[in-house]
Amino acid sequence: MDQNQRTPRPYQFHPARTAIIDLFNLYLGRSSRQKSEEPIREPPNKTQKRVTALNRDLPPRNEQFILDFEQLQGQFPDQEQLRAVTESVLISLVVQCSSHAPRAEFILFALRNLCSIGYVNWDSFLPSLLSSVSTAEASIGQGQTMNSVSSTSQSAMVASSSTIPNSSNFQPSNPASPMPSINAIGSPAQSATEPSSFTTLSPVKSSDVSCTGQQNISRSNPSVRDNVISCLRQLSCKIILAGLESNLKPVTHAQIFSHMLNWLANWDQRQQGVNECDGAKAWKPDRVLTEWLHSCLDVIWLLVEEDKCRVPFYELLRSNFQFIENIPDDEALFTLILEIHRRRDMVAMHMQMLDQHLHCPTFGTHRYLSQAYQSVSGESVANMRCLPITYPSVLGEPLHGEDLATSIQRGSLDWERAVRCLRHALHSTPSPDWWRRVVHVAPSYRPQAQQGLTPSAVFSAEMICEATIDRIMELLKLTHSEAHCWQEWVTFSDLFFYLMKNGCIDFVDFIDKLSSRITKADLQTLRTNHVTWLLAQIIRIEIVTNVLNNDPRKVEVTRKILSFHKEDRSSDPNNVNPQCILLDFISSSQTLRIWSYNTSIREYLNHEQLTKGKQIDEWWKQVTKGERMLDYMNLDDRSIGMFWVLSHTMAQAASEAVLNWLTSAGVTELIPGSNVPSGERVMAMRESSPLPMSLLSGISINVCLKLTHQIEESLFFGQVVPSISMVETYVRLLLIAPHSCFRPHFTNLAQRNPSILNKPGVSLLLLEILNYRLLPLYRYHGKSKTLMYDVTKLISMLKSKRGDHRLFRLAENLCMNLILSLRDFFLVKKDLKGPSEFTETLNRVTIINLAITVKTRGIAEVEHMVFFQPVLDQIMGASQHMWSEKTLRFFPPLLRDALMGRMDKRGQTIQTWQQAEQTVLNQCKQLLSPSAADSYLMTYVNHSFPQHRQYLCAGAWILMFGHPENINSANLGRVLREFSPEEVTANIYTLVDVLLHHIHKELQIGHLLQDLLLKTTTNLSFLIFTHELIPLDILLLALIDRDDDPHALRIVISLLDRQELQQRVKMFCMNRGLPEHWHHSGIFKRVELQKALGNHLSWKDRYPTFFDDIAARLLPVIPLIIYRLIENDATDTADRVLAIYSTLLAYHPLRFTFVRDILAYFYSHLPNKLIVRILHVLDLSKIPFSESFPQHISSSNPVLCPPLDYFATLLMGIVNNVIPPLTSKSRSGSLGDASNNSSRVPQNKPLASSQSGPTNASEGQKAFYQNQDPGTYTQLVLETAAIEILSLPGPASQIVSSLLQIIMHVQPTLIQSSNCLQGSSSGVGQSSVLPTSPSGGSTDSLSTSRSATTASGLNYSNFVSKSGYTCQQLSCLLIQACGLLLAQLPPDFHNQLYLESARIIKESWWLTDGKRPLRELDSAVGYALLDPTWAAQDSTSTAIGNIVALLHAFFSNLPLEWLEGTHAIIKNLRPLTSVAMLRIVFRIMGPLLPRLSCAKQPFVKTLALLFHAMADVFGKNTQPSTPTEASEIADLIDFLHHAVLYEGQGGPVQSNSKPKVDILTLCGKTMEALRPDLQHLLSHLKTDPNSSIYAATHPKLAQNLS
């Protein structure tokens, strides 16, 4: 759009326009207007000289201009319109005359004078000018005519014929073009071939210009074009500089700033094509370019100068201007870029944690995000855990995404950190849910329709490939060292199969790099066939078969695969184990498979291997000769090995053999129950032994997948009830390969047959498998919530369905277990619409779980905080319960406050009972009399009022009080079975309320409490144990929920003490076998349905049980009873219940989590005796407790805190087993990065008492089934350390103080104890993750003698040598370990951490030493906090640096809710007395910004606290001992701007990011306490659009501009 089109029509045709143009033409030395209809003259021949006599007068003197303009002004009454027309004309003249120096100078002179009399408004003129310049530049760049603001008549202006004294320097502009002539006054160069001449060319119409000069200039001579633009920019900058002398509005400053940056950033675009032009050298654009560059820089410096602060310097930081390409060789520009870099680095430093480059995920904690991304498997992954790794941006913000991951350069620190994280993941095997979120399909496997980026991916395919090869090389080294690492190979193969099947690794690229890596390694690296076996696991995957069949490089890939084959001819024939047999034959098995793929590659195969493959077939024929069948329970090592080989070679034969074994015992008819019609027959498989884990561990993953599918066909689609051994074998297959074989059962079965779950037998079997076998597996996969939603749908369909009690109660029990297993916030309904679909029991359990989760783990993310109240309303809207004061006092404050004031409906229940009591009793007398008619029974069921039916059990209890034999129990049981499950639940809850009310009534009339409780227990035992009429688990839950009644818990204990119940529990444990069911090798015994579940649940059901039992239903209930007893201060009773039911709790699928959570929930409220009892719920021999831990918890002095050695050992256990190992090529030897972990302690290897944690765990990596709770060994070690801390008798203050004593001076202590100062100077001390540093630092850094005495009592002599790290590395990792450990503990420890950290910082000797100059103090703080790698590398760490690093490591692992407590440390540090203290405060809180940016309240509190801290030092009323200039904290000012913009964007700051109005309001209020000079530098963080560019450009605030 040209400028004519932008001129408003009223101004374009305003009568004053012509007069103003004529006036300017007069002073510019241009002639009056020519007639537009004058014909166009032909251009002269270039060989002819045209001489035109001058016939014009000299222009008037410049001083006369303002008088002439004022005279013209009086002719027009509307002064505002005259001003607008004047600005329009001036803009057109600037564009036309910029290359004509005298005219440009006059325009600048006129502008200044017109501005002085108010006829130029800079705030309207400058934006219009810049817009017109941009349009002009675009027109020139496109080779088009640039039309001026003037009308058509103006475009025909001619040059004045007046003579100019200095004619030798005068070149008139070309009147044929509205763009000034290039060879004009002030132009840097004139044509050497065409000397100056005084010529007056004929005017032309603007419409004809496109045929003449301007198009030729812009297209044929780019250097001329660039020269024109440079002159235009130069004049514009001069005008802007003149305008900046006035007080412009912030919005004008913002527009000027934006244009200047754009010009500078794109300066080189004007130079495109210069080399193509012959006249480029003649024009020499360098000088003009330099001039306008410098003018732009002058404008920018004026805008950001601190005296005026027209634009905050931070705008330069977020502009990314410093990253422009092709920076010109100009010192002034380089100076600006250098200053931007310097200040940007400071802001980025505040955003990042100390030791940022060392932080990696530990897989020991879980946090969630709400975004839903598509995973590698194509499914939607909701409630995503936080990304494990992020990459810092130029301003320090954490960034993630596939596009970012693929841009990370190999060998960079970010690459090393990413691969370090992946190595740790491949070693510790985190959940498949984790892998689904952070990896993506390799580009070569991605369909064209899915070429978009994966937003959650943070690792590229190349990173995963490198880390996988590193893990293979590491395992090879461990294998050659004769370590027992077969289980590690098996675990890795499962994960490798998962990654390859999902396309996360490019197979061809992987084979190439693996082959190259092995070739470059030591000749002894590949001595076994482990790599061949690993590749044999994946050879049937579609991706692999496609490569071997169709890829152009299939021959090359096949030859490389075959090159991994090794023959171990030196092996001892007497030492033959299954692994050796498998590895001996695996080459043959793989060769046979490749031979079957493609004929073109058969010539490269080893025929000896093909011949050897016949031995497998011969062995199989031999062992299956005739009717013989392998006895899989008594196989020797050779037979096990050969069967493993068979599974890799003949998958169908191997899977059929297993199925034949499981069905070999035949079928039998199950005896139906007494209530089942005699005509119905139930056929079931006879029991056999399930396949042992030792055999299943070596079967190929392909056969495992086949078996799981085939067994599922028998389990869920067969006509015969499966055997328990078949079910158990199926479960073991899922546990042996948790990554490869897992499937979400509800979805998987529904896809195969949508109506399959409508069959009661199928649903019962599936729910039993899920409830009693696969709960930990689902939690490991992050699928517990999905399963909970599936089960909830089933419950909602069943709860109102009459008679279906067994399936409903099993589903409810499963859902209860699922809810209690969740340790993350969850929605009870996915859409938050309507009330909860949970039952009353599940609603109550959900509230308890929320209390435990929030109190022991906090609320992780912002979305969870937002949804917390709506979810609570959903639950409580469908529940009638209110918890007692004793229970509420242990609830977290957030939940307690939300529930406070809620009215309990128990009083209403009793009132309704009293009104209906007589009617209910009359009905019960008729219904429960020995002679009650069947017709009345059905009439009651079908026609009685619902409000009466809910009191049936209460009425029966009143009638039988003390005399159970008085009622017809058979009729009562029949009626209850005819009720819906929901009605039975309501009966139990009303029964509890009525019987407790009845006890109080009886006490008032003089009955003894002991007699009343005995009668009550007798009656309940009659209902529960004798006739099994109501479910025990629901009754116990109903009773403990009435713990505000003094008799409720006594009744619960009386029921738990009943011999009938204890005998049933004993029988359950006897029949079930070992709690670790995967170790059971015998034949399972099926318990009769009625004996297992009782009359109420079994009734007419004919489908047998597998694992279900009344005693098993108590597994989620007993822990809740313990919670309630502790809440009511009945700790001795809780101890006794735990002692009685410890054998039952051994079957609890998540007992480790129960122990950890109950210790955290009741921390500081548990007696030492009960703590010990709770710990004995665990199998202590399998938990990696510290060696000295039992001594400390049994200490006779309960206030005694363990010595520092104990805590150092605990931290070393976390460093060795939880923190990802550091990688350094200097430490990796000939195997490169693969052996980085070789010097570290193996994952489960016990350590010496002087070193590290686990002393009683078995060696080697554990399989998942051995560590189902908490899921990984990494989590187990971390949670075990937390359990130890929570169990110690000393108070939290002593524990935190001890940990901080270690951290304060960890590096000097390590150096002194291990004598590694000399070693640190060697090559081993240098590491790619610890860059070299400048020399120098605070004197405290070198004062190791000062710090050594503080940490006395520590014995680090073996720590460094056995850890495999240098002292510098180990000190950083110990700090991270301590922060991670403290973040797992409840807020009691956090408060002590904030108090102790503040005390240490304030008491630092170099902060309290008043004799030291401030400059030295600031230098010391800067050295300690700016770049932590300096101290780590130079062995000069400081106490303050270590404490801040600890706080950062601690903050990074805290859930969002607990981050609100971080303000305590700043409050404890205030009032601040120096800039050094202020910097420490900002350094502590800075890295929290990315976490808090989406959380309104925490961010507001943090920002206000930072302003208050600043006011301590730079307040209006502050009297500092030494004056400090506000400019000395420019980095803190920049950071505050960044914080506000970051929060406004809700993430990394973009070019269009704007602050939020309420945050600007907060800043404006809080900065009122600051000194005026500091307020001035922060003036843009206000809501006043007349002083703030952010307010002036904000959509909601710009309207306030006057």
Side-chain angles (χ1 to χ4, degrees), residues 1433-1453:
Q1433 189 69 19
D1434 293 343
S1435 305
T1436 56
S1437 66
T1438 63
I1440 287 184
N1442 290 343
I1443 293 299
V1444 174
L1446 170 64
L1447 290 171
H1448 288 171
F1450 172 69
F1451 293 161
S1452 67
N1453 291 285

Side-chain angles (χ1 to χ4, degrees), residues 1432-1491:
Q1433 189 69 19
D1434 293 343
S1435 305
T1436 56
S1437 66
T1438 63
I1440 287 184
N1442 290 343
I1443 293 299
V1444 174
L1446 170 64
L1447 290 171
H1448 288 171
F1450 172 69
F1451 293 161
S1452 67
N1453 291 285
L1454 277 186
L1456 179 73
E1457 182 201 1
W1458 288 354
L1459 284 177
E1460 294 191 29
T1462 57
H1463 305 140
I1465 186 170
I1466 309 303
K1467 293 176 181 177
N1468 294 329
L1469 285 172
R1470 294 185 62 198
L1472 308 182
T1473 57
S1474 65
V1475 174
M1477 288 290 289
L1478 182 62
R1479 289 192 176 281
I1480 292 173
V1481 166
F1482 270 76
R1483 193 66 186 94
I1484 289 173
M1485 303 303 291
L1488 284 177
L1489 174 61
R1491 295 283 308 280

Side-chain angles (χ1 to χ4, degrees), residues 28 1109 1572:
L28 289 172
D1109 192 276

Side-chain angles (χ1 to χ4, degrees), residues 10-34:
Y11 300 154
Q12 186 175 356
F13 301 105
H14 194 278
R17 187 176 192 85
T18 303
I20 295 174
I21 292 174
D22 288 341
L23 178 62
F24 273 101
N25 279 338
L26 176 64
Y27 279 86
L28 289 172
R30 305 169 73 170
S31 69
S32 59
R33 295 177 294 114
Q34 301 293 319

Side-chain angles (χ1 to χ4, degrees), residues 1318-1358:
Q1318 296 80 4
S1320 64
S1321 61
S1322 65
V1324 177
Q1326 299 297 322
S1327 168
S1328 62
V1329 295
L1330 291 176
T1332 57
S1333 68
S1335 60
S1338 70
T1339 53
D1340 176 49
S1341 304
L1342 303 176
S1343 183
T1344 54
S1345 61
R1346 180 188 300 272
S1347 59
T1349 58
T1350 310
S1352 60
L1354 278 174
N1355 180 12
Y1356 278 112
S1357 57
N1358 294 324

Side-chain angles (χ1 to χ4, degrees), residues 850-851 854-856 859 868-869 872 887-900 1161 1387-1388 1457-1458:
L850 277 177
V854 173
K855 188 172 183 179
T856 63
I859 299 179
F868 182 82
Q869 190 60 47
L872 202 58
T887 299
L888 288 175
R889 68 178 174 140
F890 284 98
F891 274 17
L894 184 66
L895 184 59
R896 183 171 61 246
D897 295 342
L899 295 176
M900 198 65 69
Y1161 192 82
D1388 306 60
E1457 182 201 1
W1458 288 354

Side-chain angles (χ1 to χ4, degrees), residues 770-803:
L770 295 172
N771 198 28
Y772 301 113
R773 287 293 186 265
L774 298 182
L775 273 178
L777 181 62
Y778 268 79
R779 187 174 74 160
Y780 179 60
H781 276 262
K783 297 294 184 183
S784 294
K785 294 179 186 177
T786 304
L787 179 58
M788 182 189 70
Y789 294 136
D790 290 334
V791 177
T792 301
K793 292 178 183 177
L794 183 62
I795 290 174
S796 64
M797 292 187 297
L798 292 174
K799 64 182 180 181
S800 299
K801 185 179 178 180
R802 287 187 174 183

